[in-house]
Structures are given as structure tokens and as C-alpha cells.
Amino acid sequence: METPDFFELDPPAAGPAGPAAYARTAPSGGLWAAGERITWISGLILALSAFMDWYAGSGVGVKLAVIGWHSGVLGKLVFFIGLAVLALVALRELGFELPPSVPESLLILGLGALAAIFVLIRVISIPDAVLPADGRGIGIWIALIASLGVIAGGLLRAAEEL
């Protein structure tokens, strides 16, 4: 004769144990999920702004427009910072995570601040190689706004992680 089991206990499901079981969750939406979107859009615009005109001027019968890439090392660094921001976002989307000791939002904030400093240096100081430049072109202002957008995206991502 067999007695009925009143308490059917299922064995626990096999899965990862320890700290790996606590993976980051995807943002649910709303304002805080906008941080990732702002970050990759600003990173893309920052990378593309290196190929926009940063300086404009005119000489004797010649109109001059200098793109950020040709404004020196800082223009090239702005491009590569934009690519680095895009790479961070793409790697996260592909499932690669940075170690927990390196917060991604802090890295994005640092890259955005570095880009903003480089662009501000180029706003204040026109390189001698691009003279006669009468003023700044629209591309340098777009680069400045994009670098501030990367900073804002990093701040919103930091708020997501809290």
C-alpha cells in the first residue's frame, strides 16, 4: 500500500550560484531608460562631428572651411572618443559586461568630460595651421553639444544603476 504525498517537494532548479546569479536587469523604460539612448545618439553625433566644419574663414578670393579632423590631434581624439562611447554601448547590447569594479556610467561620464574639454580647448584656441579663420563653424558647436549629451547620458545611466 502506498501513502499519498501531501508535500511534493520539487528539487531546486540548477543554475548559477553566487554573485553571477545577480545579473543586471534591463531598464524597464521611462526617463531612466533614456540614458542609454541619449548615450549612443550623442556618441554617434560626437564621432561624426569630427568631419564637420569647425572653423570658417576667408582669404583673398578664397573661402576656407576646416573640419575637425584637420584641426589637429584634439579633433582626432574627439572622433575616437565618440567611437569608444559607441563601442561601449554596442558591447553592452551584445551582452558583454564590464567588471563590477568598473562602473560603465562612470566610464561614459569620463569620456564625455574628456571630449567636452577637448572641444572647449578648440573653441577657445584656434590652431595656427587653420588661419585665416574668421570664426567657428557649426560643427564645433555640434561637437560641444554632443559631448554634453554624452555626459547627460552617463548621468542618467548612473541613476539607473542606483
Side-chain angles (χ1 to χ4, degrees):
M1 175 165 182
E2 191 173 323
T3 60
D5 289 332
F6 291 109
F7 302 105
E8 294 183 22
L9 298 175
D10 294 331
Y22 301 104
R24 294 183 190 166
T25 59
S28 60
L31 176 66
W32 303 121
E36 190 164 343
R37 192 173 309 119
I38 290 172
T39 301
W40 77 264
I41 290 173
S42 298
L44 178 66
I45 292 172
L46 186 64
L48 291 177
S49 70
F51 300 107
M52 297 178 192
D53 62 329
W54 280 21
Y55 302 106
S58 58
V60 179
V62 176
K63 294 217 179 223
L64 174 73
V66 178
I67 62 174
W69 185 264
H70 293 149
S71 68
V73 175
L74 293 180
K76 292 171 181 65
L77 287 176
V78 167
F79 170 72
F80 288 118
I81 289 172
L83 280 185
V85 169
L86 285 175
L88 279 172
V89 173
L91 286 175
R92 180 171 177 160
E93 287 296 317
L94 291 174
F96 294 105
E97 295 281 332
L98 292 174
S101 62
V102 182
E104 187 176 351
S105 60
L106 227 55
L107 192 59
I108 290 175
L109 272 168
L111 288 172
L114 195 62
I117 290 170
F118 290 163
V119 172
L120 282 174
I121 288 172
R122 283 293 171 225
V123 166
I124 294 169
S125 171
I126 298 175
D128 292 336
V130 300
L131 292 177
D134 295 334
R136 283 102 184 133
I138 189 74
I140 199 162
W141 302 114
I142 291 173
L144 184 62
I145 291 170
S147 65
L148 294 177
V150 170
I151 293 172
L155 286 172
L156 286 174
R157 289 174 80 138
E160 286 175 17
E161 293 174 0
L162 293 178

